[in-house]
Amino acid sequence: MRLSPLLLLPVALLGCATFPELDAARTPGVASQPFPALLPIDDLIAAPPPRATPELRAGIEDRVAGLRSRASRLQGEVVSDRDRQRMDDGVDTSE
């Protein structure tokens, strides 16, 4: 069975789709910046590892605090006692 060229056209056009989620995630002003310089891998391996700046550390600690706060709010019961009673009353298991 041969595929018709008309059937292949929609598949080929799908490859031309844009990805708005990726475009929206870009930091403002990044489009006008030059591409970063490409470095040889040997130079990258030999370089000392990057160190966190105080600003970066503060940002990460703020994010950690926010995530811990969110996790603590999620630790409670998922279904309240009142709702559990309603669910139990609504199910007939007498059969």
Side-chain angles (χ1 to χ4, degrees):
M1 179 168 132
R2 278 184 77 196
L3 288 177
S4 170
L6 291 176
L7 291 176
L8 293 177
L9 182 63
V11 174
L13 289 176
L14 285 175
C16 299
T18 59
F19 297 97
E21 302 86 22
L22 296 177
D23 292 337
R26 252 191 330 197
T27 305
V30 77
S32 62
Q33 297 298 316
F35 281 103
L38 297 177
L39 299 174
I41 190 70
D42 294 330
D43 292 350
L44 294 174
I45 292 172
R51 304 288 298 175
T53 63
E55 295 84 17
L56 179 64
R57 175 167 286 216
I60 290 173
E61 288 173 352
D62 289 344
R63 187 166 181 215
V64 167
L67 289 172
R68 284 190 175 143
S69 172
R70 183 177 175 199
S72 69
R73 290 191 309 266
L74 293 172
Q75 294 298 315
E77 284 193 38
V78 175
V79 179
S80 68
D81 292 335
R82 184 175 141 253
D83 290 337
R84 184 167 302 284
Q85 184 62 43
R86 281 184 40 232
M87 290 188 295
D88 290 342
D89 292 344
V91 176
D92 183 15
T93 58
S94 62
E95 293 181 17

Coordinates of all heavy atoms in Angstrom, one line a residue:
M1 N 0.8 -1.2 0.0 CA 0.0 0.0 0.0 C 0.9 1.2 0.0 O 1.8 1.4 0.8 CB -0.9 0.0 1.3 CG -1.8 1.1 1.4 SD -3.0 0.8 2.7 CE -2.9 2.3 3.6
R2 N 0.7 2.1 -1.0 CA 1.5 3.4 -1.1 C 0.7 4.5 -0.4 O -0.5 4.7 -0.5 CB 1.7 3.7 -2.5 CG 2.8 2.9 -3.2 CD 3.0 3.4 -4.6 NE 3.7 4.6 -4.6 CZ 3.8 5.4 -5.7 NH1 3.2 5.1 -6.8 NH2 4.5 6.5 -5.6
L3 N 1.5 5.3 0.3 CA 1.0 6.5 0.9 C 0.9 7.6 -0.1 O 1.8 7.9 -0.9 CB 1.8 7.0 2.0 CG 1.8 6.1 3.3 CD1 2.8 6.7 4.3 CD2 0.4 6.1 3.9
S4 N -0.2 8.2 -0.1 CA -0.5 9.3 -1.1 C 0.3 10.6 -0.6 O 0.5 10.8 0.6 CB -2.0 9.7 -1.1 OG -2.2 10.9 -1.8
P5 N 0.9 11.3 -1.6 CA 1.6 12.5 -1.2 C 0.7 13.5 -0.4 O 1.2 14.3 0.4 CB 2.1 13.1 -2.5 CG 2.1 11.9 -3.5 CD 1.0 11.0 -3.0
L6 N -0.6 13.5 -0.7 CA -1.5 14.4 0.0 C -1.6 14.0 1.5 O -1.8 14.9 2.3 CB -2.9 14.3 -0.6 CG -3.0 14.9 -2.0 CD1 -4.4 14.8 -2.6 CD2 -2.6 16.4 -2.0
L7 N -1.4 12.7 1.8 CA -1.4 12.4 3.2 C -0.1 12.8 4.0 O -0.1 13.0 5.2 CB -1.6 10.9 3.4 CG -3.0 10.3 3.0 CD1 -3.0 8.8 3.1 CD2 -4.1 11.0 3.9
L8 N 1.0 12.8 3.2 CA 2.3 13.2 3.8 C 2.4 14.7 4.0 O 3.1 15.1 4.9 CB 3.4 12.7 2.9 CG 3.6 11.2 2.8 CD1 4.7 10.9 1.9 CD2 3.8 10.6 4.2
L9 N 1.6 15.5 3.3 CA 1.7 17.0 3.4 C 1.3 17.4 4.9 O 2.1 18.2 5.4 CB 0.8 17.6 2.4 CG 0.9 19.2 2.4 CD1 2.2 19.7 2.1 CD2 -0.2 19.7 1.4
P10 N 0.2 17.0 5.4 CA -0.1 17.4 6.8 C 1.0 17.0 7.8 O 1.3 17.8 8.7 CB -1.4 16.8 7.1 CG -2.0 16.4 5.8 CD -0.9 16.2 4.9
V11 N 1.5 15.8 7.6 CA 2.6 15.4 8.6 C 3.8 16.3 8.4 O 4.5 16.7 9.4 CB 3.0 13.9 8.3 CG1 4.1 13.5 9.1 CG2 1.7 13.0 8.5
A12 N 4.2 16.7 7.2 CA 5.3 17.5 7.0 C 5.1 18.9 7.6 O 6.0 19.5 8.1 CB 5.6 17.6 5.5
L13 N 3.8 19.4 7.5 CA 3.5 20.7 8.0 C 3.6 20.8 9.5 O 3.8 21.8 10.1 CB 2.2 21.2 7.5 CG 2.1 21.5 6.0 CD1 0.7 21.9 5.6 CD2 3.1 22.7 5.7
L14 N 3.4 19.6 10.2 CA 3.4 19.6 11.6 C 4.8 19.9 12.1 O 5.0 20.4 13.2 CB 3.0 18.2 12.1 CG 1.5 18.0 12.1 CD1 1.2 16.5 12.5 CD2 0.7 18.9 13.0
G15 N 5.8 19.6 11.3 CA 7.2 19.9 11.7 C 7.5 21.4 11.7 O 8.5 21.9 12.2
C16 N 6.6 22.2 11.1 CA 6.8 23.7 11.0 C 6.0 24.4 12.2 O 6.0 25.6 12.2 CB 6.2 24.2 9.7 SG 7.1 23.5 8.3
A17 N 5.5 23.6 13.1 CA 4.7 24.2 14.2 C 5.6 25.1 15.1 O 6.8 24.8 15.3 CB 4.0 23.2 15.0
T18 N 5.1 26.1 15.7 CA 5.8 26.9 16.7 C 5.5 26.3 18.1 O 4.5 25.7 18.3 CB 5.4 28.4 16.7 OG1 4.0 28.5 16.9 CG2 5.8 29.0 15.3
F19 N 6.3 26.7 19.1 CA 6.2 26.2 20.4 C 6.0 27.5 21.3 O 7.0 28.0 21.8 CB 7.3 25.4 20.9 CG 7.5 24.1 20.1 CD1 8.3 24.0 19.0 CD2 6.7 23.0 20.4 CE1 8.4 22.9 18.3 CE2 6.8 21.8 19.7 CZ 7.7 21.8 18.6
P20 N 4.8 27.9 21.5 CA 4.6 29.2 22.3 C 5.1 29.0 23.8 O 5.5 30.0 24.4 CB 3.1 29.4 22.2 CG 2.5 28.1 21.8 CD 3.5 27.4 21.1
E21 N 5.0 27.8 24.3 CA 5.5 27.7 25.7 C 6.9 28.0 25.8 O 7.4 28.6 26.8 CB 5.3 26.2 26.2 CG 3.8 25.8 26.1 CD 3.4 25.2 24.8 OE1 4.4 24.8 24.0 OE2 2.3 25.2 24.5
L22 N 7.7 27.6 24.8 CA 9.2 27.9 24.9 C 9.4 29.4 24.7 O 10.3 30.0 25.3 CB 9.9 27.1 23.8 CG 9.9 25.6 24.1 CD1 10.6 24.9 22.9 CD2 10.5 25.2 25.4
D23 N 8.7 30.0 23.7 CA 8.8 31.4 23.5 C 8.4 32.3 24.7 O 9.1 33.3 25.0 CB 8.0 31.9 22.3 CG 8.6 31.3 21.0 OD1 9.8 30.9 21.0 OD2 7.8 31.2 20.0
A24 N 7.4 31.9 25.4 CA 7.0 32.6 26.6 C 7.9 32.5 27.7 O 8.0 33.3 28.6 CB 5.6 32.1 27.0
A25 N 8.7 31.4 27.8 CA 9.6 31.2 28.9 C 10.9 32.0 28.8 O 11.7 32.0 29.7 CB 10.0 29.7 29.0
R26 N 11.1 32.6 27.6 CA 12.4 33.4 27.4 C 12.4 34.6 28.3 O 11.4 35.3 28.5 CB 12.5 33.8 26.0 CG 13.5 33.1 25.2 CD 13.8 33.7 23.9 NE 12.7 34.3 23.2 CZ 12.6 34.6 21.9 NH1 13.6 34.2 21.2 NH2 11.6 35.2 21.4
T27 N 13.6 34.9 28.8 CA 13.8 36.1 29.6 C 13.7 37.3 28.7 O 14.3 37.3 27.6 CB 15.1 36.1 30.3 OG1 15.2 34.9 31.1 CG2 15.3 37.2 31.2
P28 N 13.0 38.4 29.1 CA 13.0 39.6 28.3 C 14.4 40.1 27.9 O 15.3 40.2 28.8 CB 12.2 40.6 29.1 CG 11.5 39.8 30.1 CD 12.3 38.6 30.3
G29 N 14.6 40.5 26.7 CA 15.9 41.0 26.3 C 16.9 40.0 25.8 O 17.9 40.4 25.3
V30 N 16.6 38.7 25.9 CA 17.5 37.7 25.6 C 17.6 37.6 24.0 O 18.7 37.2 23.5 CB 17.1 36.3 26.2 CG1 16.0 35.7 25.4 CG2 18.3 35.4 26.2
A31 N 16.6 38.0 23.3 CA 16.7 37.9 21.8 C 17.7 38.9 21.3 O 18.3 38.6 20.2 CB 15.3 38.2 21.2
S32 N 17.9 40.0 22.0 CA 18.9 41.0 21.4 C 20.3 40.7 21.9 O 21.2 41.4 21.4 CB 18.5 42.4 21.9 OG 18.5 42.4 23.3
Q33 N 20.5 39.7 22.7 CA 21.9 39.4 23.2 C 22.6 38.5 22.2 O 22.0 37.7 21.5 CB 21.8 38.7 24.5 CG 21.2 39.5 25.6 CD 22.0 40.8 25.9 OE1 23.2 40.7 26.0 NE2 21.3 41.9 26.0
P34 N 24.0 38.7 22.1 CA 24.7 37.8 21.2 C 24.8 36.4 21.8 O 24.6 36.1 23.0 CB 26.1 38.4 21.2 CG 26.2 39.1 22.6 CD 24.8 39.6 22.9
F35 N 25.1 35.4 20.9 CA 25.2 34.0 21.3 C 26.5 33.9 22.2 O 27.5 34.6 22.0 CB 25.4 33.1 20.1 CG 24.1 32.8 19.5 CD1 23.8 33.4 18.3 CD2 23.2 31.9 20.0 CE1 22.6 33.1 17.6 CE2 22.0 31.6 19.4 CZ 21.7 32.2 18.2
P36 N 26.5 33.0 23.2 CA 27.7 32.8 24.0 C 28.8 32.3 23.2 O 28.6 31.6 22.2 CB 27.2 31.9 25.1 CG 26.0 31.3 24.6 CD 25.4 32.2 23.6
A37 N 30.0 32.6 23.6 CA 31.2 32.0 22.9 C 31.3 30.5 23.2 O 31.1 30.0 24.3 CB 32.5 32.7 23.5
L38 N 31.7 29.8 22.1 CA 31.9 28.4 22.2 C 33.4 28.2 22.7 O 34.3 28.8 22.2 CB 31.7 27.7 20.9 CG 30.3 27.8 20.4 CD1 30.2 27.1 19.0 CD2 29.3 27.1 21.3
L39 N 33.6 27.3 23.7 CA 34.9 27.1 24.3 C 35.3 25.6 24.1 O 34.4 24.8 24.1 CB 34.9 27.4 25.8 CG 34.5 28.8 26.2 CD1 34.4 28.9 27.7 CD2 35.6 29.8 25.6
P40 N 36.6 25.4 23.9 CA 37.0 24.0 23.8 C 36.7 23.2 25.1 O 36.8 23.8 26.2 CB 38.5 24.0 23.6 CG 38.8 25.5 23.2 CD 37.7 26.3 23.8
I41 N 36.3 22.0 25.0 CA 36.0 21.2 26.2 C 37.1 21.1 27.2 O 36.9 21.0 28.4 CB 35.4 19.8 25.8 CG1 34.8 19.0 27.0 CG2 36.5 18.9 25.2 CD1 33.5 19.6 27.5
D42 N 38.4 21.0 26.7 CA 39.5 20.9 27.6 C 39.6 22.2 28.5 O 39.9 22.0 29.7 CB 40.8 20.8 26.8 CG 40.9 19.5 26.1 OD1 40.2 18.5 26.6 OD2 41.5 19.4 25.0
D43 N 39.3 23.4 28.0 CA 39.3 24.6 28.8 C 38.2 24.5 29.9 O 38.4 25.0 31.0 CB 39.1 25.8 27.9 CG 40.3 26.1 27.0 OD1 41.3 25.4 27.2 OD2 40.1 26.9 26.1
L44 N 37.1 24.0 29.5 CA 36.0 23.9 30.5 C 36.3 22.9 31.6 O 36.0 23.1 32.8 CB 34.7 23.5 29.8 CG 34.1 24.5 28.7 CD1 33.0 23.9 28.0 CD2 33.7 25.8 29.5
I45 N 36.9 21.8 31.2 CA 37.2 20.8 32.2 C 38.3 21.3 33.2 O 38.3 21.1 34.4 CB 37.7 19.5 31.6 CG1 36.5 18.9 30.9 CG2 38.2 18.5 32.6 CD1 36.8 17.7 30.0
A46 N 39.3 22.0 32.7 CA 40.4 22.5 33.5 C 40.0 23.7 34.3 O 40.7 24.0 35.3 CB 41.6 22.9 32.5
A47 N 39.0 24.4 34.0 CA 38.6 25.6 34.8 C 38.1 25.2 36.1 O 37.5 24.1 36.3 CB 37.5 26.4 34.0
P48 N 38.2 26.1 37.1 CA 37.7 25.8 38.5 C 36.2 25.8 38.4 O 35.6 26.5 37.6 CB 38.2 27.0 39.3 CG 38.6 28.0 38.4 CD 38.9 27.4 37.1
P49 N 35.5 25.1 39.3 CA 34.1 25.0 39.2 C 33.5 26.4 39.6 O 34.1 27.1 40.5 CB 33.7 24.0 40.3 CG 34.9 23.8 41.1 CD 36.1 24.2 40.3
P50 N 32.4 26.8 39.1 CA 31.8 28.1 39.4 C 31.3 28.1 40.9 O 30.9 27.1 41.4 CB 30.6 28.2 38.4 CG 30.3 26.9 38.0 CD 31.6 26.1 38.1
R51 N 31.4 29.3 41.5 CA 30.9 29.5 42.9 C 29.6 30.3 42.9 O 29.4 31.1 42.1 CB 32.0 30.2 43.6 CG 33.4 29.6 43.6 CD 33.5 28.4 44.4 NE 33.3 28.7 45.8 CZ 33.2 27.8 46.8 NH1 33.4 26.6 46.5 NH2 32.9 28.2 48.0
A52 N 28.8 29.9 43.9 CA 27.6 30.7 44.0 C 27.8 32.0 44.6 O 28.6 32.2 45.6 CB 26.6 29.9 44.9
T53 N 27.2 33.0 44.0 CA 27.3 34.4 44.5 C 26.3 34.6 45.7 O 25.3 33.8 45.8 CB 27.0 35.4 43.4 OG1 25.6 35.2 43.0 CG2 27.9 35.3 42.2
P54 N 26.5 35.6 46.5 CA 25.5 35.8 47.6 C 24.1 36.0 47.1 O 23.1 35.6 47.7 CB 26.0 37.0 48.3 CG 27.5 37.0 48.0 CD 27.6 36.4 46.7
E55 N 24.0 36.7 46.0 CA 22.6 36.9 45.4 C 22.0 35.6 44.9 O 20.8 35.4 45.2 CB 22.7 37.9 44.2 CG 23.2 39.3 44.6 CD 24.7 39.4 44.6 OE1 25.4 38.5 44.1 OE2 25.2 40.4 45.2
L56 N 22.8 34.8 44.3 CA 22.3 33.5 43.8 C 21.9 32.6 45.0 O 20.8 32.0 45.0 CB 23.3 32.8 43.0 CG 22.9 31.4 42.5 CD1 21.8 31.5 41.5 CD2 24.1 30.7 41.8
R57 N 22.7 32.6 46.0 CA 22.4 31.9 47.3 C 21.1 32.3 47.9 O 20.3 31.5 48.3 CB 23.6 32.0 48.2 CG 23.3 31.3 49.6 CD 24.5 31.1 50.3 NE 25.3 30.1 49.6 CZ 26.0 29.2 50.2 NH1 26.2 29.3 51.5 NH2 26.6 28.3 49.6
A58 N 20.9 33.7 48.0 CA 19.7 34.2 48.6 C 18.5 33.8 47.8 O 17.5 33.5 48.4 CB 19.8 35.7 48.7
G59 N 18.6 33.9 46.5 CA 17.5 33.5 45.7 C 17.1 32.0 45.9 O 15.9 31.6 45.9
I60 N 18.1 31.2 45.9 CA 17.9 29.7 46.1 C 17.3 29.5 47.5 O 16.3 28.7 47.7 CB 19.2 28.9 45.9 CG1 19.6 29.0 44.5 CG2 19.0 27.5 46.4 CD1 20.9 28.4 44.2
E61 N 17.8 30.1 48.5 CA 17.2 30.0 49.9 C 15.8 30.4 50.0 O 15.0 29.8 50.7 CB 18.1 30.7 50.9 CG 19.5 30.0 51.1 CD 20.4 30.7 52.0 OE1 20.1 31.9 52.3 OE2 21.5 30.2 52.3
D62 N 15.5 31.5 49.3 CA 14.1 32.0 49.2 C 13.2 30.9 48.6 O 12.1 30.7 49.0 CB 14.0 33.3 48.5 CG 14.5 34.5 49.3 OD1 14.8 34.3 50.5 OD2 14.8 35.5 48.7
R63 N 13.7 30.3 47.5 CA 12.9 29.3 46.8 C 12.7 28.1 47.7 O 11.6 27.5 47.7 CB 13.6 29.0 45.5 CG 12.8 28.1 44.6 CD 13.3 28.0 43.2 NE 12.4 27.1 42.5 CZ 12.8 26.3 41.5 NH1 14.1 26.3 41.2 NH2 12.0 25.5 40.9
V64 N 13.8 27.7 48.4 CA 13.7 26.5 49.3 C 12.7 26.8 50.4 O 11.8 25.9 50.7 CB 15.1 26.2 49.9 CG1 15.0 25.2 51.0 CG2 16.0 25.7 48.8
A65 N 12.7 28.0 50.9 CA 11.7 28.3 52.0 C 10.3 28.3 51.4 O 9.4 27.7 52.1 CB 12.0 29.7 52.5
G66 N 10.1 28.8 50.2 CA 8.8 28.7 49.6 C 8.3 27.3 49.4 O 7.1 26.9 49.6
L67 N 9.2 26.4 48.9 CA 8.9 25.0 48.6 C 8.6 24.3 49.9 O 7.7 23.5 50.0 CB 10.0 24.4 47.8 CG 10.1 24.8 46.4 CD1 11.4 24.2 45.8 CD2 8.9 24.4 45.6
R68 N 9.3 24.6 51.0 CA 9.1 23.9 52.3 C 7.8 24.3 52.8 O 7.0 23.5 53.4 CB 10.2 24.2 53.2 CG 11.5 23.4 52.9 CD 12.5 23.6 54.0 NE 13.6 22.7 53.7 CZ 14.9 23.0 53.9 NH1 15.2 24.1 54.5 NH2 15.8 22.1 53.6
S69 N 7.4 25.6 52.7 CA 6.1 26.1 53.1 C 5.0 25.4 52.4 O 4.0 25.0 53.0 CB 6.1 27.6 53.0 OG 4.8 28.1 53.2
R70 N 5.2 25.3 51.1 CA 4.1 24.7 50.3 C 4.0 23.2 50.7 O 2.9 22.7 50.8 CB 4.5 24.8 48.8 CG 3.5 24.2 47.9 CD 3.9 24.5 46.4 NE 3.0 23.8 45.5 CZ 3.3 23.5 44.3 NH1 4.5 23.9 43.8 NH2 2.4 22.9 43.5
A71 N 5.1 22.5 50.9 CA 5.1 21.1 51.3 C 4.4 20.9 52.7 O 3.6 20.0 52.9 CB 6.5 20.6 51.4
S72 N 4.6 21.9 53.6 CA 4.0 21.7 54.9 C 2.5 21.9 54.8 O 1.7 21.3 55.5 CB 4.6 22.7 55.9 OG 4.3 24.0 55.6
R73 N 2.0 22.8 53.9 CA 0.6 23.0 53.7 C -0.1 21.7 53.1 O -1.2 21.5 53.3 CB 0.3 24.2 52.8 CG 0.6 25.5 53.5 CD 0.1 26.7 52.7 NE 0.5 26.7 51.3 CZ 1.6 27.3 50.8 NH1 2.3 28.0 51.6 NH2 1.8 27.3 49.5
L74 N 0.7 21.0 52.4 CA 0.2 19.8 51.7 C 0.2 18.5 52.6 O -0.2 17.5 52.3 CB 1.0 19.4 50.4 CG 0.9 20.4 49.3 CD1 1.9 20.1 48.2 CD2 -0.5 20.5 48.8
Q75 N 0.7 18.7 53.9 CA 0.9 17.5 54.8 C -0.4 17.2 55.5 O -0.5 16.1 56.1 CB 1.9 17.8 55.8 CG 3.3 17.9 55.2 CD 3.8 16.6 54.6 OE1 3.6 15.6 55.1 NE2 4.3 16.7 53.4
G76 N -1.4 18.0 55.5 CA -2.7 17.8 56.2 C -3.5 16.7 55.5 O -3.1 16.1 54.5
E77 N -4.6 16.4 56.1 CA -5.5 15.3 55.5 C -6.0 15.8 54.2 O -6.4 16.9 54.0 CB -6.6 15.0 56.5 CG -6.3 14.2 57.7 CD -7.5 13.7 58.4 OE1 -8.5 13.3 57.8 OE2 -7.4 13.7 59.7
V78 N -6.2 14.8 53.3 CA -6.7 15.2 52.0 C -8.2 15.3 52.0 O -8.8 16.2 51.4 CB -6.2 14.1 51.0 CG1 -6.8 14.3 49.6 CG2 -4.7 14.0 50.9
V79 N -8.8 14.4 52.7 CA -10.3 14.4 52.8 C -10.7 14.6 54.3 O -10.2 13.9 55.2 CB -10.9 13.0 52.4 CG1 -12.4 13.0 52.5 CG2 -10.5 12.7 50.9
S80 N -11.5 15.7 54.5 CA -11.9 16.0 55.9 C -12.8 14.9 56.4 O -13.4 14.1 55.7 CB -12.6 17.3 56.0 OG -13.8 17.2 55.3
D81 N -13.0 14.8 57.8 CA -13.8 13.8 58.4 C -15.3 14.0 57.9 O -16.0 13.0 57.7 CB -13.8 14.0 59.9 CG -12.4 13.6 60.5 OD1 -11.7 12.8 59.8 OD2 -12.1 14.0 61.6
R82 N -15.7 15.2 57.8 CA -17.1 15.5 57.3 C -17.3 14.9 55.9 O -18.3 14.3 55.6 CB -17.4 17.0 57.4 CG -18.8 17.4 57.0 CD -19.0 18.9 57.2 NE -19.8 19.3 56.1 CZ -19.4 20.0 55.1 NH1 -18.2 20.5 55.0 NH2 -20.3 20.4 54.1
D83 N -16.3 15.2 55.0 CA -16.5 14.7 53.6 C -16.4 13.2 53.6 O -17.0 12.5 52.8 CB -15.4 15.3 52.8 CG -15.6 16.8 52.5 OD1 -16.8 17.3 52.6 OD2 -14.7 17.5 52.2
R84 N -15.5 12.6 54.4 CA -15.4 11.1 54.5 C -16.7 10.5 54.9 O -17.1 9.5 54.4 CB -14.2 10.7 55.4 CG -14.0 9.2 55.4 CD -12.8 8.8 56.0 NE -11.6 9.4 55.4 CZ -11.0 9.0 54.3 NH1 -11.6 8.1 53.6 NH2 -9.9 9.6 53.9
Q85 N -17.4 11.1 55.9 CA -18.7 10.6 56.3 C -19.7 10.7 55.2 O -20.4 9.7 55.0 CB -19.1 11.4 57.6 CG -20.4 10.9 58.2 CD -20.3 9.5 58.7 OE1 -19.3 9.1 59.3 NE2 -21.2 8.6 58.4
R86 N -19.7 11.8 54.5 CA -20.6 11.9 53.3 C -20.3 10.9 52.3 O -21.3 10.3 51.7 CB -20.5 13.3 52.7 CG -21.2 14.4 53.4 CD -21.1 15.8 52.7 NE -21.2 15.7 51.3 CZ -20.4 16.2 50.4 NH1 -19.3 16.9 50.8 NH2 -20.6 16.2 49.1
M87 N -19.1 10.6 52.0 CA -18.7 9.6 51.0 C -19.2 8.2 51.5 O -19.7 7.4 50.7 CB -17.2 9.6 50.7 CG -16.8 10.8 49.9 SD -15.1 10.7 49.4 CE -14.2 10.7 50.9
D88 N -18.9 7.9 52.8 CA -19.3 6.6 53.3 C -20.8 6.4 53.3 O -21.4 5.3 53.1 CB -18.8 6.4 54.8 CG -17.3 6.3 54.8 OD1 -16.7 5.9 53.8 OD2 -16.7 6.5 55.9
D89 N -21.6 7.5 53.6 CA -23.0 7.4 53.6 C -23.6 7.3 52.1 O -24.6 6.7 51.9 CB -23.6 8.7 54.2 CG -23.4 8.8 55.6 OD1 -23.0 7.8 56.3 OD2 -23.6 9.9 56.2
G90 N -22.8 7.7 51.2 CA -23.3 7.7 49.8 C -23.1 6.3 49.1 O -23.6 6.1 48.0
V91 N -22.3 5.5 49.7 CA -22.0 4.2 49.1 C -22.8 3.1 49.8 O -22.7 2.9 51.0 CB -20.4 3.9 49.2 CG1 -20.1 2.5 48.6 CG2 -19.7 4.9 48.5
D92 N -23.6 2.4 49.1 CA -24.4 1.3 49.6 C -23.6 0.0 49.4 O -23.4 -0.5 48.3 CB -25.7 1.2 48.9 CG -26.6 0.1 49.5 OD1 -26.3 -0.4 50.6 OD2 -27.6 -0.2 48.9
T93 N -23.1 -0.6 50.5 CA -22.3 -1.8 50.5 C -23.1 -3.0 51.1 O -22.6 -4.0 51.5 CB -21.0 -1.7 51.3 OG1 -21.3 -1.3 52.6 CG2 -20.1 -0.6 50.6
S94 N -24.5 -2.9 51.1 CA -25.3 -3.9 51.7 C -25.5 -5.2 50.8 O -26.0 -6.2 51.3 CB -26.7 -3.4 52.0 OG -27.3 -2.9 50.8
E95 N -25.1 -5.2 49.6 CA -25.2 -6.3 48.7 C -24.4 -7.5 49.1 O -23.4 -7.6 49.4 CB -25.0 -5.9 47.3 CG -26.0 -5.0 46.8 CD -25.7 -4.6 45.3 OE1 -24.9 -5.3 44.7 OE2 -26.2 -3.6 44.9

